[in-house]
Amino acid sequence: MVFRFGSHELDVERRELRRGTETVALEPQVFDLLVHLVRNRDRVISRDELIHVVWDDRIISDSTLATRLNAARRAIGDTGNAQRLIRTMQRKGFRFIGEVTELQDPAREAAATDRLTAPRLSIVLLPFANLSDDVEQQYFADGITGDLTTCVSQLPDMLVISRNTAFTYRDRPVDTKQIGRELNVRYALEGEVRRSGTRVRITAQLIDTETDAHLWAERFEGEAGDLFALQDEITSQLAAALDLELVDADASRPIEKPDALDYILRGRAARLKPPSRESRAEAIEHFEQALVLDPYSAGGQSWLAIALTARALDSMARQPDADISRAEDLAARALAVSPRRALAHFAQAQVLRAQHRYDEATLEYEATLSLNPNWAHAYSHLGWCRFMTGAIDELVAAQERAIRLSPRDPQIGLYFSRVGCAHLLQGDLDEALVWIEKARNATPEHPQFRAFLAAAHALKSDAERAATELAEARRLVGDDRYASTARLRAVEIWGVPRVVALAEQTYFAGLRKAGMPEE
């Protein structure tokens, strides 16, 4: 079915909106919203109906709905003020009021499959099976499924089938291809729970519903002494792992005409690589392309702000001040239209941290975690901000939580380095070297990790290794900060006086001993 109105054609099967011969990029939710309004143009569509059809009854804010409606209006040349095509009926809902012609394409209908194109990052979490001898343990398996559904639905850009719908597949033979067709999702997660004595083992596997291919599998084990604590721990780890796997899987799919969300996914996949100047630049390029296609995308604005600040914070930017300034504008725009979205708060937190406004950044990281409690990087950065404001003892605990939550994180070198930094500044050089070397091995192209190693080796009187690491730091960095300790102090801020004093006694002293001049 193709709907024509004015100069636009809305192709339902191909999931395309065309203006003349030009394809108009739309996010999946905006496309689904527009299709539902056009299909049901003979009546007013309530807010609740739109949420049921487009968001599968997930809880969304009024601002999210307003953002998607405005995006739909912009795509078809309408505005919230004009309302020539999509009209808001006060306290009733919304209605498409343009004149529409329905076109049928027999050739396409004959070639069409019985499956629509499933939205990207769409998943159903099937009820976990209880393999324990005790049937009473079913409640624990159900709890894992329910909590995991909630956790995954909090992840950026994710479309998750509701728990009530997913549970209709309990105790039924699982045909993931059929489930994919019935629910129009790209992925399904299956799981099993087995309890033996005090031990609980949980296995999960991610399946591509188009091919029935197993994309990823993981096993989690723990003591059943406190089942609720174990349930929280496992669901958090599963959600964090799924986020990485789904983004990587979706970004690798071949697409002829990428839209804004495709570029966002490609940028997120680039961010999953260990940080380097190349991977940071690659992510930024993809997020830039997303905003070319959809300049008003709050997701695109947030991810680009995050990528720009990451490049500056990693000392990999040629013009860090310019990156941070642009990120500040992008994050502010995203937060203005998405005040209840964890992604926008995380972008704002990153900007504030890059500006050394640690107290304000702390509040934004806390807001991020209140909306998405499984964001490992937010825990890590929150610990760093508190460290910079004097809560020195909190740094290691925050990194340990991030590591536990996302033990296979491609950027785990950051967590390792911060544990090592805490030990370095407190003079525990042996422990510092263990952690910073782990960071260097995980992220070999991060200049600051090399500088930490140079200082630690120098304080241990290993002059040769200290000089080698300092030379690598200078080669990898995007500016001249490692030319002298005076230059480094000008660009690296170490927070409150207590932390500055520790850095001077250890980090800067070690760099001087490694051969870095004072001026």
Side-chain angles (χ1 to χ4, degrees):
M1 178 65 67
V2 177
F3 298 101
R4 177 179 292 168
F5 47 92
S7 60
H8 291 83
E9 287 188 356
L10 189 63
D11 191 324
V12 177
E13 179 190 334
R14 290 181 176 172
R15 293 186 65 83
E16 287 183 351
L17 174 66
R18 295 185 290 273
R19 184 188 301 116
T21 59
E22 175 190 1
T23 300
V24 181
L26 287 181
E27 292 187 7
Q29 291 171 344
V30 176
F31 183 88
D32 293 340
L33 182 151
L34 184 58
V35 167
H36 193 68
L37 289 174
V38 172
R39 269 184 169 156
N40 298 277
R41 57 193 178 276
D42 59 335
R43 61 187 179 90
V44 176
I45 306 299
S46 70
R47 176 185 184 279
D48 289 344
E49 182 177 340
L50 278 180
I51 292 173
H52 172 72
V53 171
V54 178
W55 285 274
D56 198 34
D57 292 323
R58 289 167 55 191
I59 298 174
I60 66 163
S61 64
D62 289 340
S63 65
T64 297
L65 179 57
T67 298
R68 299 301 188 271
L69 276 166
N70 287 336
R73 283 177 170 134
R74 285 194 302 271
I76 58 178
D78 198 4
T79 68
N81 291 328
Q83 297 192 16
R84 295 182 300 101
L85 296 174
I86 300 177
R87 179 165 296 175
T88 299
M89 321 295 276
Q90 293 298 327
R91 293 185 294 278
K92 293 182 180 179
F94 313 93
R95 185 177 175 188
F96 190 90
I97 59 173
E99 291 195 12
V100 178
T101 302
E102 296 185 7
L103 308 175
Q104 299 287 345
D105 186 341
R108 185 183 301 165
E109 287 182 359
T113 65
D114 60 351
R115 177 173 179 159
L116 297 172
T117 303
R120 283 145 294 191
L121 293 183
S122 54
I123 186 171
V124 58
L125 285 75
L126 298 170
F128 277 40
N130 173 33
L131 301 185
S132 304
D133 294 335
D134 183 2
V135 295
E136 296 297 322
Q137 294 303 316
Q138 184 63 54
Y139 78 91
F140 180 66
D142 291 348
I144 291 286
T145 311
D147 284 359
L148 184 58
T149 301
T150 300
C151 288
V152 176
S153 67
Q154 295 166 334
L155 298 173
D157 305 315
M158 206 70 69
L159 190 156
V160 183
I161 298 298
S162 72
R163 179 183 184 276
N164 290 342
T165 297
F167 268 72
T168 63
Y169 291 92
R170 175 195 271 171
D171 301 325
R172 289 170 52 183
V174 176
D175 180 338
T176 52
K177 284 188 174 182
Q178 180 180 347
I179 290 173
R181 289 192 295 270
E182 291 176 356
L183 301 180
N184 198 32
V185 292
R186 285 189 174 183
Y187 306 100
L189 186 80
E190 298 177 343
E192 299 172 345
V193 177
R194 185 187 300 274
R195 182 175 179 181
S196 178
T198 62
R199 298 290 297 173
V200 174
R201 174 180 294 176
I202 296 174
T203 58
Q205 54 186 357
L206 181 66
I207 300 169
D208 185 320
T209 61
E210 292 183 3
T211 63
D212 204 31
H214 289 213
L215 304 177
W216 165 82
E218 189 59 274
R219 183 174 71 184
F220 302 86
E221 294 189 11
E223 290 292 332
D226 186 340
L227 279 179
F228 288 114
L230 179 63
Q231 182 172 314
D232 287 344
E233 181 85 4
I234 289 172
T235 53
S236 293
Q237 290 183 13
L238 262 171
L242 268 176
D243 189 25
L244 302 179
E245 296 298 330
L246 285 169
V247 168
D248 189 54
D250 235 45
S252 64
R253 288 174 179 260
I255 298 174
E256 290 185 9
K257 293 183 179 180
D259 62 13
L261 182 55
D262 291 316
Y263 280 114
I264 286 175
L265 290 173
R266 291 179 183 183
R268 292 182 64 188
R271 276 180 46 79
L272 296 181
K273 301 175 183 178
S276 68
R277 296 175 69 143
E278 290 74 20
S279 65
R280 291 304 190 203
E282 181 185 354
I284 288 169
E285 181 181 355
H286 287 311
F287 296 140
E288 295 275 21
Q289 286 295 323
L291 288 181
V292 168
L293 293 176
D294 185 358
Y296 300 98
S297 166
Q301 292 165 350
S302 297
W303 283 116
L304 181 54
I306 291 167
L308 289 168
T309 52
R311 181 165 67 178
L313 287 162
D314 288 341
S315 307
M316 297 175 183
R318 293 293 183 187
Q319 296 179 306
D321 291 342
D323 279 356
I324 293 169
S325 177
R326 186 172 178 216
E328 182 178 23
D329 176 63
L330 289 164
R333 287 159 56 193
L335 193 58
V337 299
S338 304
R340 292 291 300 163
R341 194 174 182 188
L343 179 64
H345 284 282
F346 186 81
Q348 180 75 349
Q350 292 289 85
V351 171
L352 292 168
R353 181 164 64 91
Q355 296 171 333
H356 314 299
R357 296 158 64 183
Y358 298 114
D359 285 322
E360 296 170 80
T362 293
L363 296 177
E364 289 298 330
Y365 286 126
E366 289 173 342
T368 300
L369 291 168
S370 71
L371 295 167
N372 179 4
N374 304 302
W375 202 317
H377 278 243
Y379 286 113
S380 174
H381 300 330
L382 177 60
W384 184 255
C385 289
R386 287 176 173 164
F387 172 73
M388 285 295 184
T389 53
I392 294 173
D393 294 338
E394 295 188 27
L395 180 57
V396 172
Q399 309 316 305
E400 289 174 341
R401 184 166 190 177
I403 293 168
R404 188 168 62 251
L405 183 61
S406 188
R408 298 183 182 177
D409 198 303
Q411 299 189 47
I412 200 168
L414 176 66
Y415 314 150
F416 294 157
S417 76
R418 286 174 171 171
V419 176
C421 177
H423 290 298
L424 173 63
L425 266 60
Q426 296 181 80
D428 187 351
L429 299 179
D430 290 334
E431 195 69 12
L433 282 169
V434 169
W435 285 95
I436 302 170
E437 285 176 351
K438 288 172 67 174
R440 185 267 319 276
N441 293 339
T443 313
E445 297 191 48
H446 200 299
Q448 190 179 51
F449 302 172
R450 301 290 186 150
F452 286 160
L453 273 179
H457 281 306
L459 293 173
K460 289 281 287 184
S461 299
D462 191 338
E464 182 178 352
R465 295 181 71 180
T468 298
E469 294 297 345
L470 180 56
E472 275 297 287
R474 287 169 170 163
R475 184 183 70 82
L476 293 169
V477 78
D479 53 36
D480 65 345
R481 68 184 59 206
Y482 296 125
S484 68
T485 54
R487 173 64 181 143
L488 187 57
R489 287 191 193 92
V491 295
E492 280 191 5
I493 306 301
W494 284 88
V496 298
R498 182 186 174 198
V499 180
V500 171
L502 290 175
E504 285 290 342
Q505 295 163 17
T506 56
Y507 178 50
F508 286 97
L511 290 175
R512 282 194 298 272
K513 197 172 178 180
M516 183 181 291
E518 186 64 38
E519 296 292 342

